């Protein structure tokens, strides 16, 4: 069994605990056994699981893996500490708030022979799976992905990082991208912001990614994808699946720990993740230059 600890008891941390306590039968998720949770607050037992200190989580021999579910600004520090302590890490996206720190951490994991896994539940959603099927074989001319949602919580980083799930969609659908321009409009007093990033595919086709957040903005994704012979202007409703998104991710992390994911797949995933973080860095730089 892989003794595990959940760090950060917010929305994601609670779902992780729930899934670890009731793993998908006959899947690699059953290999995990939760030993405790870590929080900066002093909390009562959560879902019957006891709080333990960070020192205990790092030093106990019966803890082999950590789930980092805190706000984004401190992922990097927690990942580093657990890797240094010889523990495998599953971190909620985005892994870090810079490309260079992600490269460093990945190198550290490799040196130590540990699995560093970044959760990307957005790739498991029925809508995304259906969209990917629908566009297979089509030639993109141009497209827009516009995300709207409530105000960003503090400590979640620049929107190109906190919203990396949308960028990951674009890269997974259309391959490596380059950033041609980016800007950020921010009204701090209204807790409103709108980031616009202009991207180009390898075939020099333009894609626009917009992250817009403010109080009362209903969470929604709007797409407009124009292909040579068709346009898609609404996300398809994919077939709902019986296994939850975080559970699918837990099974994938388990499969990596069991050596069931091929080196080629791991390499492909790592390239995509690092590419997205590099794009997010570039979008941040260009947006900050525009604001200055
Ligand atoms: P959250 O705001 O619910 O929790 C974030 C952190 O705040 C946690 O460390 C939690 O311990 C702490 N926290 C929560 N309530 C608190 C309180 N009352 N007092 C003090 N601290 C408190 O955020 P989240 O949605 O769980 O996101 C955590 C991570 O998961 C982020 O990296 C996010 O990008 C990622 N993620 C979340 C989801 C999701 O559906 N929520 C999906 C994908 C990725």
């Amino acid at each position: 069994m892989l003794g595990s600890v959940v760090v950060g008891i917010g929305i994601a941390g609670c779902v992780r605990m729930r899934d670890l306590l009731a793993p998908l039968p006959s899947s690699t998720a059953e290999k995990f056994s939760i030993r405790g949770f870590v929080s900066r607050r002093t909390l009562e037992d959560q879902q019957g699981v006891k709080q333990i200190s960070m020192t205990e989580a790092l030093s106990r021999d019966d803890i082999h893996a950590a789930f980092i579910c805190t706000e984004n600004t401190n992922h990097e520090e927690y990942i580093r500490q657990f890797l240094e302590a010889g523990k495998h890490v599953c971190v909620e996206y985005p892994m870090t708030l810079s490309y260079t720190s992600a490269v460093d951490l990945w190198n550290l994991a490799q040196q130590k022979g540990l699995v560093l896994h970044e959760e990307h539940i957005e790739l498991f959603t029925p809508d995304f799976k259906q969209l990917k099927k629908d566009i297979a074989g089509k030639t993109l001319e141009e497209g827009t992905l516009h995300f709207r949602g409530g105000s960003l919580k503090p400590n979640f980083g620049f929107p190109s990082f906190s919203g990396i799930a949308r960028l990951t969609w674009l890269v997974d659908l259309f391959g490596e991208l380059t950033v041609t321009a980016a800007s950020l409009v921010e009204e701090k007093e209204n807790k409103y912001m709108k980031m616009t990033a202009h991207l180009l595919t390898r075939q020099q086709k333009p894609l626009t990614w917009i992250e817009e957040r403010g109080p009362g903005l209903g969470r929604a994704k709007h797409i407009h994808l124009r292909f040579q012979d068709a346009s898609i202007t609404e996300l398809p409703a994919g077939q709902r699946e019986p296994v939850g998104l975080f559970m699918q991710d837990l099974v994938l992390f388990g499969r990596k720990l069991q050596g069931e994911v091929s080196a080629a797949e791991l390499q492909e995933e790592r390239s995509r993740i690092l590419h997205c973080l590099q794009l997010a860095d570039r979008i941040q730089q260009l947006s900050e230059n525009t604001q200055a």
Side-chain angles (χ1 to χ4, degrees):
M1 289 304 274
L2 291 155
S4 306
V5 63
V6 172
V7 182
I9 307 303
I11 299 169
C14 290
V15 173
R16 287 297 186 183
M17 277 211 280
R18 180 201 67 193
D19 287 355
L20 286 162
L21 288 165
L24 181 68
S26 306
S27 79
T28 55
E30 284 190 318
K31 303 283 176 204
F32 297 97
S33 166
I34 186 160
R35 307 269 193 247
F37 71 85
V38 172
S39 175
R40 289 152 290 179
R41 294 167 284 162
T42 302
L43 297 173
E44 295 174 346
D45 292 4
Q46 301 285 310
Q47 303 177 48
V49 177
K50 291 220 173 311
Q51 180 162 13
I52 61 172
S53 70
M54 186 65 183
T55 316
E56 192 179 339
L58 290 167
S59 61
R60 265 171 63 170
D61 289 341
D62 67 339
I63 293 180
H64 310 98
F67 291 80
I68 311 296
C69 310
T70 61
E71 56 277 22
N72 299 337
T73 43
N74 50 32
H75 286 180
E76 181 183 342
E77 187 48 35
Y78 280 123
I79 297 171
R80 195 178 300 282
Q81 289 188 60
F82 278 103
L83 290 177
E84 293 284 8
K87 317 290 186 198
H88 302 287
V89 172
C90 167
V91 58
E92 310 302 346
Y93 71 71
M95 175 180 297
T96 63
L97 296 176
S98 84
Y99 166 72
T100 45
S101 57
V103 172
D104 267 9
L105 291 171
W106 231 311
N107 290 339
L108 178 61
Q110 213 153 16
Q111 277 165 26
K112 298 252 178 196
L114 296 166
V115 171
L116 172 56
H117 169 76
E118 185 183 45
E119 161 268 309
H120 276 286
I121 54 169
E122 74 281 10
L123 298 179
F124 298 137
T125 61
D127 297 2
F128 180 73
K129 287 178 181 170
Q130 188 59 47
L131 179 63
K132 198 165 170 171
K133 277 188 206 148
D134 290 355
I135 72 165
K138 292 192 165 59
T139 307
L140 181 77
E141 287 299 325
E142 62 175 333
T144 300
L145 171 57
H146 185 162
F147 172 82
R148 284 205 186 92
S151 303
L152 255 187
K153 294 183 266 191
N155 301 323
F156 275 69
F158 194 78
S160 54
F161 286 93
S162 59
I164 204 133
R166 269 68 73 187
L167 190 54
T168 303
W169 267 29
L170 293 176
V171 168
D172 198 70
L173 293 173
F174 303 113
E176 289 205 353
L177 304 171
T178 47
V179 186
T180 55
S183 61
L184 180 73
V185 174
E186 207 174 4
E187 295 167 17
K188 283 201 170 118
E189 65 287 8
N190 297 327
K191 293 187 170 171
Y192 172 85
M193 57 120 280
K194 184 175 181 181
M195 181 198 80
T196 305
H198 296 282
L199 308 155
L200 272 185
T201 65
R202 278 214 203 101
Q203 296 74 31
Q204 304 298 302
K205 302 297 180 188
L207 281 172
T208 306
W209 169 32
I210 302 169
E211 285 278 307
E212 188 179 17
R213 287 183 167 270
L217 286 183
R219 199 177 166 88
K221 285 188 211 79
H222 299 277
I223 57 162
H224 195 288
L225 301 172
R226 187 165 67 80
F227 298 92
Q228 266 175 7
D229 49 2
S231 287
I232 298 182
T233 55
E234 265 181 51
L235 271 179
Q239 185 97 42
R240 279 184 71 90
E241 292 173 25
V243 181
L245 301 176
F246 279 96
M247 186 66 86
Q248 293 186 46
D249 182 69
L250 184 61
V251 171
L252 175 58
F253 182 43
R255 289 182 53 232
K256 288 183 183 177
L257 289 167
Q258 298 283 106
E260 289 178 13
V261 180
S262 73
E265 281 173 272
L266 291 173
Q267 183 50 42
E268 195 181 327
E269 188 193 52
R270 179 189 154 125
S271 301
R272 189 205 69 228
I273 289 173
L274 289 178
H275 177 63
C276 288
L277 290 169
Q278 201 165 22
L279 293 174
D281 249 351
R282 184 76 188 129
I283 292 169
Q284 179 170 5
Q285 279 166 17
L286 290 174
S287 303
E288 287 174 348
N289 289 346
T290 319
Q291 274 192 313

